[in-house]
Amino acid sequence: MSATLELVSSQRCFGGWQRRFRHASASTRCEMTFSVYLPPQAQAGARVPALYWLSGLTCTDENFSTKAGAQRAAAELGLALVIPDTSPRGAHVADAERYDLGQGAGFYLNATQAPWSEHYRMEDYIVDELPALLEAELPIGPLRAISGHSMGGHGALTLAMRHPGRYVSASAFAPIVNPADTPWGQQAFAAYLGEAREAWLAHDASQLMATVAHRLPLRVDQGGGDSFLPEQLQPDVLCAAAKAHGWALDYTLHPDYDHSYYFIASLIEAHLRFHAGHLARA
């Protein structure tokens, strides 16, 4: 193992390895921790495609790896699962007393406002630094898909739209898709990006649909029993934007499902197969 990555833990799982690493990040200027599932196909020396998973508010890199049950299907499909943390962390990193701002709530963007701008550069970290590191140090190839939940669903959709060609496909569970007009997004954007609404719209999936020329396959699943649905998530805005601007969005509302990992565990295999199909054709 290169000195660049410090192995924190390693467990055998469905013929592959669930591993956790620590490294010094140039993007966030702090130590970052992330998890990776390497399927059996990677053990034979082959480079495998990767699904990048972005978690939601208050999560770390371990929520998805321990709760979603994604490794069995990933092993069958030959997909690596790359699971970064949700923000920079550390005693020297800016934070807030509330759960939806600061550490654990990076919103997958590059902050431009003090004190957040010193460390909160999650867009650079996810899109550029982490893939370059993994593709140099692990048997992971350059074919990438991206998915996420809630705040991470926001990140998956916006990063895929903002960086054409970086990802073959994108999907999300209960994503924040209209953040410029919802409380979670407005609070985070005002803190990280300032008060100019133009800066907010560049990180809003529903708004980006009107300006991005590159159309990639999108899948979104939403629980009908999600308590955050009417105020914070607003998927109808995304669906309307997709229809207005010619995006082939695969959207399904599932009655009774809530915002929890029970919902994610119920549909994660379908998302992995969605991405595997597009990666195989890339």
Side-chain angles (χ1 to χ4, degrees):
M1 181 63 61
S2 166
T4 305
L5 292 178
E6 177 189 349
L7 182 63
V8 177
S9 62
S10 182
Q11 289 83 33
R12 198 75 161 145
C13 185
F14 291 103
W17 291 96
Q18 182 65 51
R19 287 179 169 150
R20 198 171 189 226
F21 295 97
R22 182 185 296 124
H23 74 111
S25 168
S27 300
T28 64
R29 300 178 184 175
C30 68
E31 190 174 75
M32 295 293 288
T33 304
F34 64 89
S35 295
V36 175
Y37 177 68
L38 292 172
Q41 295 85 342
Q43 308 309 310
R47 285 158 62 84
V48 296
L51 174 69
Y52 284 73
W53 172 268
L54 307 185
S55 297
L57 291 166
T58 76
C59 290
T60 70
D61 59 290
E62 292 190 290
N63 292 74
F64 181 78
S65 66
T66 58
K67 294 181 179 181
Q71 292 91 342
R72 181 189 60 79
E76 175 194 337
L77 297 168
L79 285 177
L81 304 175
V82 178
I83 314 158
D85 203 348
T86 51
S87 77
R89 296 183 190 269
H92 64 297
V93 174
D95 201 3
E97 293 184 357
R98 50 189 305 157
Y99 77 95
D100 48 3
L101 184 68
Q103 295 187 34
F107 273 81
Y108 305 102
L109 51 75
N110 292 336
T112 60
Q113 305 298 303
W116 313 103
S117 54
E118 182 176 358
H119 299 287
Y120 284 74
R121 303 194 63 81
M122 289 299 291
E123 182 168 8
D124 284 351
Y125 180 71
I126 299 296
V127 174
D128 295 317
E129 182 179 6
L130 189 57
L133 176 64
L134 297 186
E135 290 161 24
E137 302 292 341
L138 298 178
I140 293 176
L143 284 178
R144 311 174 200 94
I146 191 166
S147 186
H149 171 231
S150 193
M151 177 186 72
H154 146 78
L157 296 177
T158 58
L159 294 183
M161 292 179 190
R162 285 170 55 83
H163 299 274
R166 296 293 285 173
Y167 306 99
V168 170
S169 51
S171 72
F173 292 80
I176 305 169
V177 297
N178 190 31
D181 290 308
T182 57
W184 274 341
Q186 289 173 334
Q187 173 188 258
F189 287 176
Y192 296 146
L193 302 173
E195 296 295 338
R197 186 174 173 83
E198 293 77 12
W200 299 7
L201 300 184
H203 297 275
D204 184 307
S206 297
Q207 296 294 326
L208 284 168
M209 281 187 160
T211 61
V212 174
H214 175 69
R215 302 287 193 267
L216 77 166
L218 299 180
R219 171 172 178 157
V220 171
D221 286 277
Q222 173 64 56
D226 191 326
S227 61
F228 299 116
L229 178 58
E231 183 180 30
Q232 302 283 14
L233 306 180
Q234 301 184 5
D236 290 348
V237 177
L238 183 74
C239 292
K243 183 177 181 180
H245 301 291
W247 287 76
L249 171 66
D250 180 359
Y251 172 78
T252 305
L253 181 68
H254 302 267
D256 302 324
Y257 281 92
D258 64 11
H259 201 70
S260 73
Y261 264 82
Y262 294 110
F263 176 45
I264 296 170
S266 299
L267 290 169
I268 191 60
E269 181 174 347
H271 278 243
L272 294 184
R273 294 190 183 281
F274 166 80
H275 291 295
H278 290 291
L279 287 163
R281 292 189 290 273

